Amino acid sequence: MTTETARTAATAQPAPTTQTTPTTQPASTNPATPLLRVEHLHVGFTRGGETRPVVNDVSFSLRAGECLAIVGESGSGKSVTARTIVGLTGANAVVDAETLELDGINLTTVSEKAWRSIRGRRVGFILQDALVSLDPLRPVGKEIEEALALHGWGSRAARKRKVVDLLESVGVPNPAVRARQRPDELSGGLRQRALIASALALGPELVIADEPTTALDVTVQAQVLDLIAGMKERGVSVILISHDLSVVARLADHILVMKGGSVVESGSAHQVLTAPTHQYTQALIDAVPGGHTRGERLGPALDASLPAPDTRAPLAPSDGPVLEARDLVKRFRGPGGAQSTAVDHVSFTLDRGTTLGIVGESGSGKSTTARIALALTSADEGWAKLLGQEWTSVTESRRRHLRNRIAVVYQDPLSSFDPRWTVERILVDAVAQADRPTTGAAARSERARDLLRQVGLSEQVLSRLPLKLSGGQRQRVAIARALATEPSIIVLDEAVSALDVSVQAQILDLLVELQDRIGLSYLFISHDLGVIHHMSDTVLVMKDGRVVERGTADDVFLRPRHPYTQELVRSLPTLEDPGASTARPGGPSAVDTLPAGAAEAAPR
Amino acid sequence: MTALGQPLLTKPVSAKLAATPWGFFLAIAVLLFFVVAAVFPAALATHDPYAMNFANALHPPSFEFWFGTDESGRDLYSRVIYGTRESLLIGVGATAVSLSLALVLGSLAALAGRFASAAVNRIIEVLFAFPTLLLALLLVAVIGPSAMSQVVAVGVGTAPGYARIIRGQILKAKDSGYVEAAVALGHPRAWILRNHVLPNALRPLVAIFALSVGQSIVWASSLSFLGLGVAPPSPEWGALLDAGKQYITQAGWLTVLPGLVIVVLALAATTLGKHIQNILEKDEK
Amino acid sequence: MTPTSSSDTLTPPAAPAPSGPAGGGARASRRFPWRLIAGKLVGAVVVLWGAATAAFLAQTALPGDRATIILNIRAGQAIERTPAELAAINQEYGLQNPLLVQYLEYLRGIVTGDLGTSYQQHRPVAAIIGEQMWPTIVLTLTAIALAWVIMVVWVTLTAGRGTKVSSVGAVLDTAVAGLPHYWLGIILLLVFALTLGWFPVISGTSPNGLFLPALTLAIPLAGFMGQATRAEFERSLDQPFVITARMRGMGDWGVRLKHVLRHSVLPAVTLSGWALGATISGAVIVESIFTRSGIGSVLVTAVNTQDLPVVTGIVILIAALYVVANILVDIAYVIIDPRLKKS
């Protein structure tokens, strides 16, 4: 833990010039007074007379111009820690700290009035997804202006001018126009910039960014991270909170890894990323999928020995591809009657026992393609054949007998389960849909247990409702249901995207294992390049409904030819050693020269 | 210990009513009392509800006459007890009419073919444009005032609102992920309708039934209050209100107390309905 | 406070930022949603036509010979009528025509503002309603305005204030929403008019007599809208944009009034069109309690005497008001939530 000796409070004026060489051992070598000191912080939430601890004995300190990253999975207490720093932990929170000090102010004793002068003015806060983090009913300019007005900044006219300046400084093109638009009228990147502008309005010396890029596409994420890097260069201290180690790798000077409310590892970014001392950190690093993990497990092997592979021989394999799609086109009628083409002449072939990955950003048409492949959405043009038979071009009643050959797992498994049905009923129902249905209630129930074992769940979950399961368990049940009909293909539509990285690793390992044992074919849809690279044999890159690049996974990701793929790959944050400098080689050192507007799409 | 916490995070509102079990038990106790009054009025009454005694006319509530007496000296409390059966029957009957109608209209609107469902949707919207009481008044005008016409009028008057709810529920279930999952498993349409859509869509009916009985009694008594319900000599609650109306200035209790009984019953039914709703929602969310 | 809190931490870029591909992002926010309104107008006409049809069907549904019924209603006694008497009535009301002709005549009349002739008073329904409608409309609008004030103040004060306060608030919403108008009206009349004497017992049309009837209608409506508003209010209080506002230094009251309230009234705005109809029919009862002039006594008398043209005339009028109110509600909704314009 980077505890520092408390020094007499000299004004911790951010001095950018002294911050260009972050050191790995700040306590002994850098004489600057920490801007923020947190020692032995405990937070609990009281409900019904009982206090449930969520943050245990957390200590850290942060000097001007430094970036501290707090990394952890859901429930690790990272966001609660951040909110405690601005006194907004929550109504039922009990906060206890030996020291909680911002620039010499003892935060444990400040009044609500004093808090309000600290928030916004001394500390800025950036949450994820500006679509909901800025008031959706108001223009973004009003939100930024509110930050100024709350602290009595300038006259009304001066504030209006300042809003435009602020938007411009975070790389929003046409700031005067954008200021009058609401978050839903701006693209994801632009509204996130507006959110950042509102946090920076009064020039706070500390900015806390809580998952600032989580909902964003990878190219936009890179731009927002550049913006935060620029902030840091100017001497603003940053606390960056993320579930994703690779996101913080570039910016962080120090990294705090939290798990279950406690700090399990703390140190310089270099040390944490390259020589982690705690096995949880190591596991987190190992769990990140990518090109380097292909063919390897992401997590430790399950100790429970898996049941013997299904002894029943797979149904007679047909020659040729299991799924073949030609020139699929799907158009949607947008607001105002304008037509948009969601899928534009997409063709692909999925071979037995292989994985075809489809990668693209939001709105690229990858999920619509998956739905057409499942014959849940009809294509306007083109066709798909399943196991050599007519699939999308025939009526539902004529293709129903083929439905058990292709299964699906969604991002949100919960909504795909009838809320009244127990896990057992869900699985038994699916088992009965197989080509060679297991007959008899007892045999079906036994088959359901068998499926649970295959996905690594105990039979205790049989009697439970899906609602009572954890996210990882639900996804396993969804996979078990997909396996129940003994399909040839499973379509995985962002199937691991909502999971914590360690759970994601387990599910990916399970999928690979099942493929090896049963010879399944996967159509794997994801926005996550690392996951696609890890899983896929062949890859399609989609943009605006079109396939812009296809090839083997390594070809596409290691030797991308299309400029868009190249941009995607370049934007992908990596776990590589952050090195000594936060600026990218040869890159701009300030936000001013960001290729902001260029890469931003116009509001849709 | 320092409490830095600010009121920021709050409990969702649905948790609140569910978190007060005493409200639930109180509601059940009240409803049980009225059921007993309906089945065995003699067990709860203190006087003969029809025995006139002009010496005690318009006696205010007292130890002897809990709810006071009316202009003929009849004990109001006993009359309320004896009126329970008819009042409850009107409420339950109107609810049955209302929900049957709503079920037919709502299901057709959500499940029938494109043209038919559009037509039924329009019918629901037209009926919904009439306020409940007005639709009921229109029906009373056609049929003429009586207990039976109250049942029909209130039933039809409240049906459009419930039809909209049922339609919405069915559409929501039809559009759900689990229905799509069932399609992907190869289940036929009719099977999915029977096993997923209807069971999920019609789950809230229990809660709606409880809510609706309370509301129906209020609507029926409103008709009676306007002199368009059961005729006054009957101790039916609405009729008591109608009869007491002329004595508001001298004997307020003649309207206030039967009204209070209706309010208590309606509130108990509402509370019960909301609790059931919360329990169902907890299972789903 | 360090002197950095001024504006110079971020300097404008040296080179002007490239302008976005489309400067036309502002297009949607200025335009009036004509398409939306046009669609609503078509729906409104359909509802009115349906209402008129239902009204016509109700008139023909009276059991027995209509001419006889009309004469009986007019005379107040049921006796056999001579063919000559009946022929005159049939002539007057066009009852000798086929039903379809009667129906078309009826529709034509409504379009020209002719709602038919009262059986009992032998006068045009439009005139009878016209004389009595205004006090009812004043009462209804006052009640709705009052309900909004009560509801907004009550919810803003009590929502999201810890478990105890908010559950008291929520329970009161529910309890009050279910109060029958007649009961609440009698209580208010007994307490404030008869006992305390603050208001007249007989309201008539006096402005002073407006308050208690309006309050009687407003309280249950406030409870009803309050339930929806409270749920949305408490949901909004937990939304990220509220947390962002707190993080930039806004206080609890600022957040409630400037951000949360606007979001939370949306469900209640939607209910307001429906509430207008419900309040008008509630006015029928309230007018009877407070002896206030208005459409109420006309309607009750007409229902009692089965004077159907008057009843259906009022029904059609209220359906029309409902339709107009809903169009206003749609406009109000878009003003409060401009996001809808895009869809």
Side-chain angles (χ1 to χ4, degrees), chain A residues 161-182:
Chain A
R161 282 195 301 275
K162 171 79 172 167
V163 165
V164 174
D165 290 348
L166 279 164
L167 282 173
E168 195 161 14
S169 72
V170 293
V172 172
N174 257 336
V177 174
R178 301 299 184 206
R180 292 196 300 271
Q181 294 184 311
R182 293 183 309 278

Side-chain angles (χ1 to χ4, degrees), chain A residues 47 87-91 94-96 100 107-108 112 115 119 371 376 400 403 410 415-421 429-430 433 467 481 485, chain B residues 1-9 11-12 176-178 180-181 183-189 191 195-196 199-200 203 282-285:
Chain A
R47 183 166 252 180
L88 286 171
T89 324
V94 185
V95 178
D96 181 36
L100 195 57
L107 296 179
T108 57
E112 170 62 14
W115 266 128
R119 294 179 203 139
R371 291 181 56 84
L376 291 172
R400 192 166 286 139
R403 283 249 174 239
Y410 294 103
S415 66
S416 76
F417 299 133
D418 190 318
R420 302 169 303 122
W421 285 20
D429 170 57
Q433 289 300 106
L467 187 76
R481 174 173 66 182
T485 60
Chain B
M1 263 319 180
T2 30
L4 292 166
Q6 300 300 324
L8 184 69
L9 305 167
K11 281 187 192 177
S176 66
Y178 51 83
E180 189 173 296
V183 171
L185 274 175
H187 285 300
R189 213 178 111 86
W191 186 95
N195 286 281
H196 286 299
N200 277 296
R203 266 182 118 192
K282 233 191 246 165
D283 279 0
E284 274 166 38
K285 266 276 153 76

Side-chain angles (χ1 to χ4, degrees), chain B residues 131 133 219, chain C residues 139 181 217 276-288:
Chain B
L133 187 64
W219 287 123
Chain C
L139 172 62
H181 288 130
L217 290 170
L276 181 80
T279 310
I280 292 183
S281 52
V284 173
I285 290 170
V286 169
E287 284 169 1
S288 141

Side-chain angles (χ1 to χ4, degrees), chain A residues 279-394:
Chain A
Q279 71 177 59
Y280 177 70
T281 316
Q282 185 64 51
L284 274 187
I285 293 172
D286 292 344
V288 177
H292 60 287
T293 58
R294 284 175 62 81
E296 292 171 20
R297 290 191 65 89
L298 296 166
L302 298 168
D303 9 302
S305 58
L306 280 156
D310 214 329
T311 46
R312 295 188 270 187
L315 289 170
S318 60
D319 290 325
V322 288
L323 184 66
E324 189 184 6
R326 281 293 163 269
D327 288 321
L328 298 176
V329 175
K330 182 71 190 177
R331 298 184 193 91
F332 287 114
R333 193 165 288 280
Q339 266 202 351
S340 60
T341 308
V343 176
D344 195 353
H345 292 91
V346 171
S347 304
F348 59 83
T349 305
L350 176 59
D351 290 318
R352 179 172 299 279
T354 67
T355 299
L356 171 66
I358 303 184
V359 69
E361 302 192 328
S362 50
S364 63
K366 55 187 192 304
S367 282
T368 310
T369 305
R371 291 181 56 84
I372 296 173
L374 284 159
L376 291 172
T377 295
S378 62
D380 293 328
E381 288 172 33
W383 49 264
K385 282 187 174 180
L386 180 65
L387 301 165
Q389 302 185 50
E390 296 283 320
W391 173 241
T392 58
S393 46
V394 295

